[in-house]
């Protein structure tokens, strides 16, 4: 849920806009003039402001810059009719997230809002470095292991300098969290912060997104566009997944680092830029250089200050603390209380190698909470949660099938008199468990998925000794969907 403020003198637009955004689950307030907008702004403290450039009283641009002065971390989207595009472009060069040309399509608008909110979350949601953060509205980097202690020290040392920082680590080790922490502890924490995910943006769009373009630079470039790097002038740019950045753009980033300037696409003007860059990647950059996919000169510049994040399997001593943290966070969901974890549950966590690192652990705890019934999380809860995750990937499914054949062979050669019946029970359990897991424990949905009646499913579960928490989806609510 995000807080969004709409400032526009068109009442019909305000109302329909508010309806759409509330439908998306956001908390929306609106104002008809710049003055009213500023007043609501100070008390409401929105994550995003969507405003018209043409407003009665105070003009839109003035409203925008007043809000920026009050809180530079706020994101704004400017709405404009064709005739006033110039003003909207000026606003983006002053740090507005982007502008929307009226009339606009709703999906396009929602996509832009999504991106702006993501950027807002990045710069505004605080990250703490200390483990015993009781405040659940704040993200914390958890872990008391030596590797993590060293990381905190490095963040503390590096953040206040203006050095380029490279965050490296496997997927799910917390690179994004660390990047946010570096920004928030930097001298630029009250300046713009811009996030660019180099894999999420198609190669053809990435260059114009980063550097902007001049009117007429290519067909379709009807107006000038200010790129994200220019918008971040004075602040910080986070280049996520930099290992996946196309070579042509790597060259331009290198130039930005060396000359502290950029050129818009199709532009002749050299624009001086002062930004700090934080980059992250899970790629093996040395390998990428060998494969001709990453520039060596850029690599040497980037790697001077590297923050390496340890994989979870190398800091298993942090498991209890991390588990406790996720249990607390996840059980704030209505209808869920924190059941804690048993000793055997903790041991089961230690036995897994966590290829998906902390993200996998968080997912595992979430699943275990669905399957358990208020009792402390057990080893079985953990094991089925891990297995559930496994069967999602194609190769894992293959291993599961081989595992299945293995079970059949072993049972058949064990001299078990009830081999067939026992095997069938075993597979029934697996099928039903999987169906329940896919339906988040909802038995009505699972029975539909399995093509059996709900009473049949319930009696099978009873016979096979399968249980599922009724807390997450009560049977009443499940009948509705
Ligand atoms: N040390 C930690 N303490 C608490 N939460 C963590 C920690 N590390 C990671 N997380 C959580 O795990 C999830 C994944 O972290 P994050 O997105 O930062 O990983 P990443 O390294 O950027 O992964 P990817 O390479 O897949 O993008 C997030 O929900 C994050 O809050
Ligand atoms: Mg990431």
């Amino acid at each position: 849920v995000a807080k969004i403020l709409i400032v526009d003198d068109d009442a019909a637009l305000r109302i329909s806009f508010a309806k759409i955004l509330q439908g998306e689950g956001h908390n929306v307030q609106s104002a008809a003039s710049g003055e009213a907008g500023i007043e609501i702004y100070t008390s409401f403290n929105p994550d995003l402001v969507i405003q018209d450039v043409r407003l009665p009283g105070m003009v839109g641009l003035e409203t925008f810059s007043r809000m920026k002065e009050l809180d530079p971390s706020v994101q704004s989207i400017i709405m404009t009719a064709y005739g006033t595009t110039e003003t909207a472009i000026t606003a983006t060069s002053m740090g507005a997230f982007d502008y929307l040309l009226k009339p606009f399509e709703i999906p396009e608008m929602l996509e832009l809002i999504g991106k702006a909110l993501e950027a807002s979350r990045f710069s505004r949601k605080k990250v703490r470095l200390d483990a015993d953060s009781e405040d659940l509205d704040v993200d914390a980097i958890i872990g008391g292991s030596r590797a993590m202690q060293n990381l905190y020290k490095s963040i503390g040392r590096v953040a206040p300098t203006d050095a380029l920082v490279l965050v490296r680590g496997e997927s799910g080790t917390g690179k994004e969290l660390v990047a946010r922490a570096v920004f928030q502890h930097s001298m630029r924490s009250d300046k713009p912060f811009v996030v660019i995910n180099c894999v999420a943006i198609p190669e053809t769009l990435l260059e114009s997104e980063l550097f902007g373009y001049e009117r007429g630079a290519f067909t379709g470039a009807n107006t000038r566009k200010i790129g994200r790097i220019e918008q971040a002038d004075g602040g910080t740019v986070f280049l996520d997944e930099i290992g996946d950045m196309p070579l042509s753009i790597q060259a331009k980033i290198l130039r930005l680092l060396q000359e502290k300037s950029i050129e818009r696409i199709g532009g002749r003007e050299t624009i001086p830029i002062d930004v700090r860059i934080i980059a992250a990647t899970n790629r093996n950059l040395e390998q990428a250089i060998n494969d001709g996919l990453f520039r060596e000169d850029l690599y040497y510049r980037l790697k001077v200050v590297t923050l390496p994040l340890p994989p979870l399997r190398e800091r298993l001593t942090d498991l209890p603390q991390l588990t406790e943290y996720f249990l607390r966070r996840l059980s704030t969901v209505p209808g869920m209380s924190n059941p804690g974890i048993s000793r055997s549950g903790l041991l089961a966590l230690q036995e897994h190698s966590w290829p998906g690192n902390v993200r996998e652990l968080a997912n595992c705890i979430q699943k275990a909470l669905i399957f358990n019934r208020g009792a402390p999380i057990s080893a079985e809860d953990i094991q089925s949660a891990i297995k559930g995750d496994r069967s999602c990937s194609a190769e894992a499914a293959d291993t599961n099938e081989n595992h299945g054949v293995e079970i059949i062979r072993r049972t058949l050669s064990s001299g078990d008199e009830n081999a067939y019946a026992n095997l069938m029970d075993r597979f029934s359990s697996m099928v039903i468990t999987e169906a329940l897991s896919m339906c988040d424990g909802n038995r009505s949905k699972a029975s539909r998925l399995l093509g059996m009646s709900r009473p049949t499913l319930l009696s099978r579960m009873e016979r096979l000794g399968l249980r599922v928490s009724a807390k997450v989806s009560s049977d009443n609510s499940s009948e509705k969907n």
Side-chain angles (χ1 to χ4, degrees), residues 139-143 148 152 169-178 240-241 282 309 315 322 325-326 329 358-359 362:
D139 285 330
I141 303 182
I142 304 293
M148 292 305 282
Y152 303 147
E170 291 175 13
S171 184
T173 46
K175 295 184 293 295
E176 187 189 306
L177 273 187
V178 169
D240 201 1
E241 319 281 4
N282 57 15
L309 305 198
R315 54 180 190 107
L322 278 163
Y325 173 72
F326 289 126
R329 294 206 105 175
V358 183
R359 180 181 294 118

Side-chain angles (χ1 to χ4, degrees), residues 95-352:
F97 186 76
D98 212 332
Y99 65 88
L100 268 172
L101 222 48
K102 282 183 183 175
F104 40 78
E105 306 279 326
I106 291 172
E108 170 203 4
M109 170 198 92
L110 287 177
E111 193 189 325
L112 192 59
I113 290 176
K115 282 194 210 157
L117 286 176
E118 169 79 9
S120 154
R121 182 181 62 80
F122 235 91
S123 52
R124 306 189 106 204
K125 190 154 191 211
K126 293 280 174 255
V127 181
R128 288 245 196 100
L129 293 182
D130 56 286
D132 11 67
S133 150
E134 286 294 322
D135 185 355
L136 293 174
D137 283 337
V138 183
D139 285 330
I141 303 182
I142 304 293
S145 59
R146 174 150 311 173
M148 292 305 282
Q149 304 272 9
N150 286 336
L151 176 67
Y152 303 147
K153 274 187 223 153
S154 305
I155 294 175
R157 259 200 306 269
V158 153
T161 71
D162 239 0
L164 178 66
V165 175
L166 176 64
V167 186
R168 291 185 76 165
E170 291 175 13
S171 184
T173 46
K175 295 184 293 295
E176 187 189 306
L177 273 187
V178 169
R180 275 161 61 195
V182 169
F183 161 71
Q184 287 169 4
H185 291 83
S186 78
M187 291 179 304
R188 294 175 184 245
S189 62
D190 59 349
K191 299 277 162 37
F193 184 81
V194 162
V195 192
I196 293 136
N197 187 323
C198 303
V199 274
I201 305 172
E203 177 168 355
T204 45
L205 292 183
L206 188 58
E207 186 177 5
S208 57
E209 187 79 13
L210 283 168
F211 298 95
Y213 49 77
E214 293 295 345
R215 178 183 180 153
F218 44 82
T219 26
N222 299 324
T223 57
R224 165 186 289 173
K225 181 185 161 81
I226 307 294
R228 296 264 179 251
I229 292 177
E230 200 176 332
Q231 286 181 316
D233 196 14
T236 307
V237 174
F238 176 44
L239 297 174
D240 201 1
E241 319 281 4
I242 198 171
D244 296 86
M245 182 182 271
L247 280 165
S248 62
I249 298 178
Q250 291 175 29
K252 291 200 146 196
I253 292 291
L254 184 67
R255 198 182 138 196
L256 166 66
L257 294 175
Q258 287 168 337
E259 292 166 26
K260 313 228 173 301
S261 66
I262 60 155
E263 268 167 30
R264 301 186 193 119
I265 302 173
R268 293 211 196 96
E269 192 190 347
T270 299
I271 302 157
I273 296 285
D274 164 37
V275 287
R276 179 200 206 168
I277 289 187
I278 303 173
T281 186
N282 57 15
R283 280 289 170 102
N284 178 336
L285 291 181
E286 295 76 10
Q287 183 62 45
I289 292 171
N290 282 337
D291 296 343
L293 296 173
F294 204 83
R295 292 181 67 114
E296 199 166 3
D297 45 9
L298 180 57
Y299 168 75
Y300 281 113
R301 279 207 158 238
L302 284 175
K303 76 167 209 171
V304 177
V305 180
T306 298
L307 296 178
L309 305 198
L312 184 53
R313 64 183 169 280
E314 285 173 16
R315 54 180 190 107
L316 292 177
T317 50
D318 286 337
L319 278 172
Q321 210 185 352
L322 278 163
T323 304
E324 169 58 25
Y325 173 72
F326 289 126
L327 278 172
R328 257 195 298 135
R329 294 206 105 175
L330 293 167
S331 49
T332 55
V333 181
M336 252 204 212
S337 59
N338 181 352
I341 183 163
S342 69
R343 262 194 73 77
S344 68
L346 271 177
L347 285 174
L349 289 174
Q350 314 260 0
E351 275 163 20
H352 186 51

Side-chain angles (χ1 to χ4, degrees), residues 73-110:
S73 73
V74 75
Q75 297 291 348
S76 311
I77 293 174
I78 309 292
M79 291 181 288
T80 183
Y82 191 72
T84 50
T85 320
E86 269 312 314
T87 324
I89 295 169
T90 310
T92 51
S93 70
M94 288 163 63
F97 186 76
D98 212 332
Y99 65 88
L100 268 172
L101 222 48
K102 282 183 183 175
F104 40 78
E105 306 279 326
I106 291 172
E108 170 203 4
M109 170 198 92
L110 287 177

